[in-house]
PDB file of all heavy atoms in Angstrom:
ATOM      1  N   LEU A 218       9.217   9.020  29.166  1.00 96.00           N
ATOM      2  CA  LEU A 218      10.188   9.995  28.607  1.00 96.00           C
ATOM      3  C   LEU A 218      10.245   9.907  27.127  1.00 96.00           C
ATOM      4  O   LEU A 218      10.215   8.816  26.580  1.00 96.00           O
ATOM      5  CB  LEU A 218      11.576   9.677  29.172  1.00 96.00           C
ATOM      6  CG  LEU A 218      11.691   9.772  30.710  1.00 96.00           C
ATOM      7  CD1 LEU A 218      13.082   9.252  31.183  1.00 96.00           C
ATOM      8  CD2 LEU A 218      11.481  11.191  31.173  1.00 96.00           C
ATOM      9  N   MET A 219      10.350  11.094  26.505  1.00 96.00           N
ATOM     10  CA  MET A 219      10.554  11.113  25.009  1.00 96.00           C
ATOM     11  C   MET A 219      12.010  11.462  24.739  1.00 96.00           C
ATOM     12  O   MET A 219      12.532  12.483  25.190  1.00 96.00           O
ATOM     13  CB  MET A 219       9.682  12.136  24.373  1.00 96.00           C
ATOM     14  CG  MET A 219       9.856  12.239  22.849  1.00 96.00           C
ATOM     15  SD  MET A 219       8.875  13.559  22.071  1.00 96.00           S
ATOM     16  CE  MET A 219       7.325  12.741  22.018  1.00 96.00           C
ATOM     17  N   TRP A 220      12.650  10.559  23.996  1.00 97.00           N
ATOM     18  CA  TRP A 220      14.132  10.775  23.665  1.00 97.00           C
ATOM     19  C   TRP A 220      14.257  11.200  22.229  1.00 97.00           C
ATOM     20  O   TRP A 220      13.491  10.777  21.365  1.00 97.00           O
ATOM     21  CB  TRP A 220      14.847   9.417  23.810  1.00 97.00           C
ATOM     22  CG  TRP A 220      14.906   8.941  25.230  1.00 97.00           C
ATOM     23  CD1 TRP A 220      13.986   8.192  25.970  1.00 97.00           C
ATOM     24  CD2 TRP A 220      15.853   9.268  26.150  1.00 97.00           C
ATOM     25  NE1 TRP A 220      14.321   7.994  27.168  1.00 97.00           N
ATOM     26  CE2 TRP A 220      15.548   8.566  27.427  1.00 97.00           C
ATOM     27  CE3 TRP A 220      17.100   9.977  26.198  1.00 97.00           C
ATOM     28  CZ2 TRP A 220      16.379   8.625  28.510  1.00 97.00           C
ATOM     29  CZ3 TRP A 220      17.914   9.978  27.287  1.00 97.00           C
ATOM     30  CH2 TRP A 220      17.509   9.327  28.481  1.00 97.00           C
ATOM     31  N   LYS A 221      15.313  11.988  21.938  1.00 97.00           N
ATOM     32  CA  LYS A 221      15.715  12.174  20.593  1.00 97.00           C
ATOM     33  C   LYS A 221      16.400  10.953  20.089  1.00 97.00           C
ATOM     34  O   LYS A 221      17.216  10.365  20.831  1.00 97.00           O
ATOM     35  CB  LYS A 221      16.679  13.432  20.462  1.00 97.00           C
ATOM     36  CG  LYS A 221      15.887  14.757  20.673  1.00 97.00           C
ATOM     37  CD  LYS A 221      16.860  15.921  20.580  1.00 97.00           C
ATOM     38  CE  LYS A 221      17.098  16.366  19.134  1.00 97.00           C
ATOM     39  NZ  LYS A 221      17.846  17.638  19.118  1.00 97.00           N
ATOM     40  N   ARG A 222      16.061  10.455  18.943  1.00 96.00           N
ATOM     41  CA  ARG A 222      16.731   9.266  18.435  1.00 96.00           C
ATOM     42  C   ARG A 222      18.209   9.455  18.126  1.00 96.00           C
ATOM     43  O   ARG A 222      19.044   8.555  18.117  1.00 96.00           O
ATOM     44  CB  ARG A 222      16.000   8.719  17.201  1.00 96.00           C
ATOM     45  CG  ARG A 222      14.541   8.251  17.583  1.00 96.00           C
ATOM     46  CD  ARG A 222      13.842   7.591  16.468  1.00 96.00           C
ATOM     47  NE  ARG A 222      14.381   6.284  16.259  1.00 96.00           N
ATOM     48  CZ  ARG A 222      14.010   5.508  15.197  1.00 96.00           C
ATOM     49  NH1 ARG A 222      13.087   5.837  14.367  1.00 96.00           N
ATOM     50  NH2 ARG A 222      14.569   4.318  15.079  1.00 96.00           N
ATOM     51  N   CYS A 223      18.477  10.679  17.704  1.00 97.00           N
ATOM     52  CA  CYS A 223      19.895  11.032  17.299  1.00 97.00           C
ATOM     53  C   CYS A 223      20.615  11.793  18.371  1.00 97.00           C
ATOM     54  O   CYS A 223      20.042  12.499  19.183  1.00 97.00           O
ATOM     55  CB  CYS A 223      19.828  11.870  16.038  1.00 97.00           C
ATOM     56  SG  CYS A 223      19.010  11.133  14.633  1.00 97.00           S
ATOM     57  N   SER A 224      21.935  11.583  18.415  1.00 97.00           N
ATOM     58  CA  SER A 224      22.764  12.392  19.299  1.00 97.00           C
ATOM     59  C   SER A 224      22.852  13.776  18.704  1.00 97.00           C
ATOM     60  O   SER A 224      22.664  14.040  17.560  1.00 97.00           O
ATOM     61  CB  SER A 224      24.177  11.753  19.359  1.00 97.00           C
ATOM     62  OG  SER A 224      24.085  10.417  19.759  1.00 97.00           O
ATOM     63  N   GLU A 225      23.179  14.749  19.623  1.00 97.00           N
ATOM     64  CA  GLU A 225      23.387  16.096  19.183  1.00 97.00           C
ATOM     65  C   GLU A 225      24.491  16.168  18.198  1.00 97.00           C
ATOM     66  O   GLU A 225      25.529  15.564  18.304  1.00 97.00           O
ATOM     67  CB  GLU A 225      23.588  17.062  20.374  1.00 97.00           C
ATOM     68  CG  GLU A 225      22.354  17.225  21.226  1.00 97.00           C
ATOM     69  CD  GLU A 225      21.201  17.687  20.470  1.00 97.00           C
ATOM     70  OE1 GLU A 225      21.247  18.829  19.904  1.00 97.00           O
ATOM     71  OE2 GLU A 225      20.216  16.991  20.384  1.00 97.00           O
ATOM     72  N   GLY A 226      24.244  16.926  17.133  1.00 96.00           N
ATOM     73  CA  GLY A 226      25.206  17.048  16.037  1.00 96.00           C
ATOM     74  C   GLY A 226      24.728  16.248  14.840  1.00 96.00           C
ATOM     75  O   GLY A 226      25.139  16.461  13.702  1.00 96.00           O
ATOM     76  N   GLN A 227      23.868  15.277  15.077  1.00 96.00           N
ATOM     77  CA  GLN A 227      23.237  14.397  14.040  1.00 96.00           C
ATOM     78  C   GLN A 227      21.911  14.980  13.741  1.00 96.00           C
ATOM     79  O   GLN A 227      21.299  15.669  14.506  1.00 96.00           O
ATOM     80  CB  GLN A 227      23.128  12.976  14.464  1.00 96.00           C
ATOM     81  CG  GLN A 227      24.458  12.294  14.753  1.00 96.00           C
ATOM     82  CD  GLN A 227      24.275  10.900  15.321  1.00 96.00           C
ATOM     83  OE1 GLN A 227      23.438  10.676  16.177  1.00 96.00           O
ATOM     84  NE2 GLN A 227      25.021   9.934  14.808  1.00 96.00           N
ATOM     85  N   THR A 228      21.367  14.606  12.527  1.00 94.00           N
ATOM     86  CA  THR A 228      20.015  14.948  12.140  1.00 94.00           C
ATOM     87  C   THR A 228      19.289  13.689  11.741  1.00 94.00           C
ATOM     88  O   THR A 228      19.918  12.730  11.263  1.00 94.00           O
ATOM     89  CB  THR A 228      19.944  16.000  11.040  1.00 94.00           C
ATOM     90  OG1 THR A 228      20.765  15.554   9.945  1.00 94.00           O
ATOM     91  CG2 THR A 228      20.518  17.352  11.498  1.00 94.00           C
ATOM     92  N   TRP A 229      17.992  13.718  11.939  1.00 94.00           N
ATOM     93  CA  TRP A 229      17.130  12.495  11.642  1.00 94.00           C
ATOM     94  C   TRP A 229      16.790  12.603  10.141  1.00 94.00           C
ATOM     95  O   TRP A 229      16.252  13.596   9.642  1.00 94.00           O
ATOM     96  CB  TRP A 229      15.889  12.541  12.461  1.00 94.00           C
ATOM     97  CG  TRP A 229      14.969  11.403  12.185  1.00 94.00           C
ATOM     98  CD1 TRP A 229      13.724  11.434  11.650  1.00 94.00           C
ATOM     99  CD2 TRP A 229      15.250   9.981  12.404  1.00 94.00           C
ATOM    100  NE1 TRP A 229      13.216  10.199  11.535  1.00 94.00           N
ATOM    101  CE2 TRP A 229      14.131   9.284  11.980  1.00 94.00           C
ATOM    102  CE3 TRP A 229      16.331   9.368  12.962  1.00 94.00           C
ATOM    103  CZ2 TRP A 229      14.078   7.875  12.062  1.00 94.00           C
ATOM    104  CZ3 TRP A 229      16.303   7.948  13.033  1.00 94.00           C
ATOM    105  CH2 TRP A 229      15.160   7.227  12.619  1.00 94.00           C
ATOM    106  N   ASP A 230      17.099  11.471   9.425  1.00 93.00           N
ATOM    107  CA  ASP A 230      16.717  11.328   8.027  1.00 93.00           C
ATOM    108  C   ASP A 230      15.427  10.501   7.940  1.00 93.00           C
ATOM    109  O   ASP A 230      15.515   9.296   8.106  1.00 93.00           O
ATOM    110  CB  ASP A 230      17.872  10.717   7.202  1.00 93.00           C
ATOM    111  CG  ASP A 230      17.614  10.634   5.713  1.00 93.00           C
ATOM    112  OD1 ASP A 230      16.421  10.458   5.395  1.00 93.00           O
ATOM    113  OD2 ASP A 230      18.535  10.775   4.949  1.00 93.00           O
ATOM    114  N   LEU A 231      14.306  11.154   7.786  1.00 89.00           N
ATOM    115  CA  LEU A 231      13.018  10.446   7.780  1.00 89.00           C
ATOM    116  C   LEU A 231      12.909   9.431   6.682  1.00 89.00           C
ATOM    117  O   LEU A 231      12.355   8.377   6.843  1.00 89.00           O
ATOM    118  CB  LEU A 231      11.913  11.525   7.610  1.00 89.00           C
ATOM    119  CG  LEU A 231      10.479  11.014   7.519  1.00 89.00           C
ATOM    120  CD1 LEU A 231      10.092  10.294   8.789  1.00 89.00           C
ATOM    121  CD2 LEU A 231       9.539  12.169   7.295  1.00 89.00           C
ATOM    122  N   VAL A 232      13.534   9.709   5.499  1.00 90.00           N
ATOM    123  CA  VAL A 232      13.388   8.779   4.339  1.00 90.00           C
ATOM    124  C   VAL A 232      14.166   7.504   4.625  1.00 90.00           C
ATOM    125  O   VAL A 232      13.695   6.406   4.419  1.00 90.00           O
ATOM    126  CB  VAL A 232      13.888   9.481   3.095  1.00 90.00           C
ATOM    127  CG1 VAL A 232      13.914   8.480   1.858  1.00 90.00           C
ATOM    128  CG2 VAL A 232      13.021  10.709   2.746  1.00 90.00           C
ATOM    129  N   LYS A 233      15.418   7.676   5.104  1.00 90.00           N
ATOM    130  CA  LYS A 233      16.258   6.474   5.347  1.00 90.00           C
ATOM    131  C   LYS A 233      16.123   5.873   6.751  1.00 90.00           C
ATOM    132  O   LYS A 233      16.613   4.822   7.005  1.00 90.00           O
ATOM    133  CB  LYS A 233      17.740   6.869   5.148  1.00 90.00           C
ATOM    134  CG  LYS A 233      18.019   7.267   3.676  1.00 90.00           C
ATOM    135  CD  LYS A 233      19.458   7.624   3.419  1.00 90.00           C
ATOM    136  CE  LYS A 233      19.743   8.043   2.042  1.00 90.00           C
ATOM    137  NZ  LYS A 233      21.030   8.612   1.850  1.00 90.00           N
ATOM    138  N   ASP A 234      15.375   6.582   7.624  1.00 88.00           N
ATOM    139  CA  ASP A 234      15.114   6.132   8.993  1.00 88.00           C
ATOM    140  C   ASP A 234      16.470   5.909   9.740  1.00 88.00           C
ATOM    141  O   ASP A 234      16.661   4.899  10.404  1.00 88.00           O
ATOM    142  CB  ASP A 234      14.307   4.735   8.958  1.00 88.00           C
ATOM    143  CG  ASP A 234      13.536   4.551  10.202  1.00 88.00           C
ATOM    144  OD1 ASP A 234      12.989   5.530  10.759  1.00 88.00           O
ATOM    145  OD2 ASP A 234      13.361   3.367  10.664  1.00 88.00           O
ATOM    146  N   VAL A 235      17.351   6.877   9.614  1.00 91.00           N
ATOM    147  CA  VAL A 235      18.641   6.865  10.235  1.00 91.00           C
ATOM    148  C   VAL A 235      19.084   8.240  10.752  1.00 91.00           C
ATOM    149  O   VAL A 235      18.526   9.220  10.285  1.00 91.00           O
ATOM    150  CB  VAL A 235      19.767   6.301   9.348  1.00 91.00           C
ATOM    151  CG1 VAL A 235      19.507   4.829   8.936  1.00 91.00           C
ATOM    152  CG2 VAL A 235      19.979   7.161   8.125  1.00 91.00           C
ATOM    153  N   CYS A 236      20.108   8.267  11.595  1.00 95.00           N
ATOM    154  CA  CYS A 236      20.689   9.516  11.966  1.00 95.00           C
ATOM    155  C   CYS A 236      21.889   9.808  11.050  1.00 95.00           C
ATOM    156  O   CYS A 236      22.661   8.799  10.758  1.00 95.00           O
ATOM    157  CB  CYS A 236      21.223   9.414  13.408  1.00 95.00           C
ATOM    158  SG  CYS A 236      19.907   9.227  14.601  1.00 95.00           S
ATOM    159  N   VAL A 237      22.023  10.938  10.534  1.00 95.00           N
ATOM    160  CA  VAL A 237      23.113  11.270   9.638  1.00 95.00           C
ATOM    161  C   VAL A 237      23.981  12.352  10.317  1.00 95.00           C
ATOM    162  O   VAL A 237      23.625  12.985  11.263  1.00 95.00           O
ATOM    163  CB  VAL A 237      22.621  11.780   8.268  1.00 95.00           C
ATOM    164  CG1 VAL A 237      21.843  10.701   7.536  1.00 95.00           C
ATOM    165  CG2 VAL A 237      21.716  13.024   8.398  1.00 95.00           C
ATOM    166  N   ASN A 238      25.201  12.437   9.770  1.00 95.00           N
ATOM    167  CA  ASN A 238      26.245  13.287  10.334  1.00 95.00           C
ATOM    168  C   ASN A 238      26.888  12.648  11.544  1.00 95.00           C
ATOM    169  O   ASN A 238      26.456  11.575  12.045  1.00 95.00           O
ATOM    170  CB  ASN A 238      25.756  14.718  10.652  1.00 95.00           C
ATOM    171  CG  ASN A 238      25.202  15.343   9.410  1.00 95.00           C
ATOM    172  OD1 ASN A 238      25.668  15.246   8.328  1.00 95.00           O
ATOM    173  ND2 ASN A 238      24.108  16.113   9.649  1.00 95.00           N
ATOM    174  N   ILE A 239      27.915  13.254  12.096  1.00 93.00           N
ATOM    175  CA  ILE A 239      28.714  12.814  13.209  1.00 93.00           C
ATOM    176  C   ILE A 239      28.237  13.481  14.473  1.00 93.00           C
ATOM    177  O   ILE A 239      28.089  14.700  14.469  1.00 93.00           O
ATOM    178  CB  ILE A 239      30.192  13.023  12.989  1.00 93.00           C
ATOM    179  CG1 ILE A 239      30.646  12.462  11.644  1.00 93.00           C
ATOM    180  CG2 ILE A 239      30.997  12.463  14.121  1.00 93.00           C
ATOM    181  CD1 ILE A 239      30.872  10.966  11.611  1.00 93.00           C
ATOM    182  N   ALA A 240      28.070  12.717  15.566  1.00 95.00           N
ATOM    183  CA  ALA A 240      27.733  13.347  16.883  1.00 95.00           C
ATOM    184  C   ALA A 240      28.871  14.235  17.290  1.00 95.00           C
ATOM    185  O   ALA A 240      30.050  13.977  17.114  1.00 95.00           O
ATOM    186  CB  ALA A 240      27.502  12.245  17.905  1.00 95.00           C
ATOM    187  N   LYS A 241      28.499  15.353  17.898  1.00 97.00           N
ATOM    188  CA  LYS A 241      29.484  16.348  18.482  1.00 97.00           C
ATOM    189  C   LYS A 241      29.678  15.971  19.897  1.00 97.00           C
ATOM    190  O   LYS A 241      28.816  15.479  20.607  1.00 97.00           O
ATOM    191  CB  LYS A 241      28.952  17.753  18.327  1.00 97.00           C
ATOM    192  CG  LYS A 241      28.781  18.221  16.903  1.00 97.00           C
ATOM    193  CD  LYS A 241      28.251  19.638  16.894  1.00 97.00           C
ATOM    194  CE  LYS A 241      28.076  20.136  15.466  1.00 97.00           C
ATOM    195  NZ  LYS A 241      27.394  21.362  15.340  1.00 97.00           N
ATOM    196  N   THR A 242      30.878  16.322  20.379  1.00 97.00           N
ATOM    197  CA  THR A 242      31.154  16.213  21.798  1.00 97.00           C
ATOM    198  C   THR A 242      31.151  17.629  22.417  1.00 97.00           C
ATOM    199  O   THR A 242      31.406  18.597  21.761  1.00 97.00           O
ATOM    200  CB  THR A 242      32.557  15.563  22.081  1.00 97.00           C
ATOM    201  OG1 THR A 242      33.536  16.351  21.444  1.00 97.00           O
ATOM    202  CG2 THR A 242      32.591  14.144  21.499  1.00 97.00           C
ATOM    203  N   PHE A 243      30.747  17.615  23.700  1.00 98.00           N
ATOM    204  CA  PHE A 243      30.567  18.855  24.420  1.00 98.00           C
ATOM    205  C   PHE A 243      31.203  18.690  25.799  1.00 98.00           C
ATOM    206  O   PHE A 243      31.175  17.605  26.381  1.00 98.00           O
ATOM    207  CB  PHE A 243      29.083  19.089  24.654  1.00 98.00           C
ATOM    208  CG  PHE A 243      28.212  19.297  23.419  1.00 98.00           C
ATOM    209  CD1 PHE A 243      27.749  18.175  22.701  1.00 98.00           C
ATOM    210  CD2 PHE A 243      28.032  20.539  22.883  1.00 98.00           C
ATOM    211  CE1 PHE A 243      26.989  18.328  21.569  1.00 98.00           C
ATOM    212  CE2 PHE A 243      27.259  20.711  21.730  1.00 98.00           C
ATOM    213  CZ  PHE A 243      26.814  19.574  21.066  1.00 98.00           C
ATOM    214  N   SER A 244      31.710  19.812  26.407  1.00 98.00           N
ATOM    215  CA  SER A 244      31.988  19.829  27.829  1.00 98.00           C
ATOM    216  C   SER A 244      30.629  19.726  28.534  1.00 98.00           C
ATOM    217  O   SER A 244      29.582  19.902  27.911  1.00 98.00           O
ATOM    218  CB  SER A 244      32.697  21.147  28.157  1.00 98.00           C
ATOM    219  OG  SER A 244      31.815  22.245  28.098  1.00 98.00           O
TER     220      SER A 244
END
C-alpha cells in the first residue's frame, strides 16, 4: 500500500520534510 504522509488538509513540504497546515476533519 502507498500512503499519503500527510493527513488531508495538510500539504507536504519537500524542503523541510514535514507536513504543513492543520489537518481537516470530515464527516
Side-chain angles (χ1 to χ4, degrees):
L218 300 172
M219 177 183 282
W220 294 88
K221 287 179 87 171
R222 295 185 73 184
C223 300
S224 303
E225 290 304 297
Q227 298 176 314
T228 54
W229 180 247
D230 185 325
L231 178 61
V232 175
K233 296 180 181 170
D234 206 36
V235 296
C236 299
V237 295
N238 303 320
I239 305 283
K241 293 180 181 171
T242 60
F243 299 85
S244 69

